[in-house]
Amino acid sequence: MACLHNALAADDESVRELAEASQQMLNDLASQVISLRAMAERKALDTVTQRLDKQVAQWPTETDATEKYRPCKQALERAAQLARLTHAKAANPKAATPADEKAWLQEHASLTDRRAVCERVLRQPVIRAS
């Protein structure tokens, strides 16, 4: 039983490290995913979304250990979606409809919310079994 408990604790620790890395990536890329100038170039969009998608792919299948840190993974997914919407908006600004703008604003709000929840979760102290 102790061996199983240690495996679960290690799993929780590795998921926390992944969540911290995800939060750092979000902090690094947040201004880019909302910048029309940054996302206007297809190459910039591809670079940003590939980095985000690669980080999302590192997340393990949903487990008890990942449940607590799920907002961090969701924030990565929201950031990638927002980057795509920002690119579409920047690539053809005259074609943007009010519905497009509403979707962009909703995605931006969702990303902001998920980032804040992720940060709150990461600020909570880690309780280690003795």
Side-chain angles (χ1 to χ4, degrees):
M1 180 67 176
C3 188
L4 176 60
H5 180 71
N6 288 342
L8 291 174
D11 187 45
D12 188 55
E13 190 173 313
S14 66
V15 172
R16 182 179 178 85
E17 289 171 2
L18 182 58
E20 289 169 347
S22 297
Q23 181 69 9
Q24 182 62 47
M25 180 178 284
L26 288 164
N27 291 341
D28 293 346
L29 298 177
S31 62
Q32 289 180 37
V33 300
I34 62 169
S35 168
L36 293 176
R37 179 173 284 155
M39 290 295 101
E41 303 269 334
R42 181 65 191 204
K43 185 176 179 180
L45 169 70
D46 291 344
T47 300
V48 167
T49 55
Q50 285 171 2
R51 285 183 65 195
L52 291 165
D53 291 343
K54 183 177 178 182
Q55 186 73 12
V56 168
Q58 290 182 13
W59 280 80
T61 306
E62 298 293 324
T63 65
D64 289 344
T66 61
E67 178 67 29
K68 177 178 177 181
Y69 301 106
R70 185 180 299 160
C72 301
K73 179 182 178 185
Q74 291 170 335
L76 289 169
E77 294 165 341
R78 300 277 54 90
Q81 180 61 23
L82 184 58
R84 290 177 185 98
L85 290 172
T86 303
H87 172 73
K89 186 176 172 180
N92 199 354
K94 293 187 188 328
T97 65
D100 295 335
E101 183 66 18
K102 184 178 179 183
W104 188 89
L105 290 170
Q106 287 175 331
E107 203 63 41
H108 184 273
S110 178
L111 172 59
T112 301
D113 178 62
R114 294 291 87 198
R115 283 183 66 206
V117 173
C118 176
E119 196 161 314
R120 275 195 307 273
V121 167
L122 290 173
R123 274 192 253 136
Q124 294 175 355
V126 177
I127 301 170
R128 302 202 192 282
S130 46

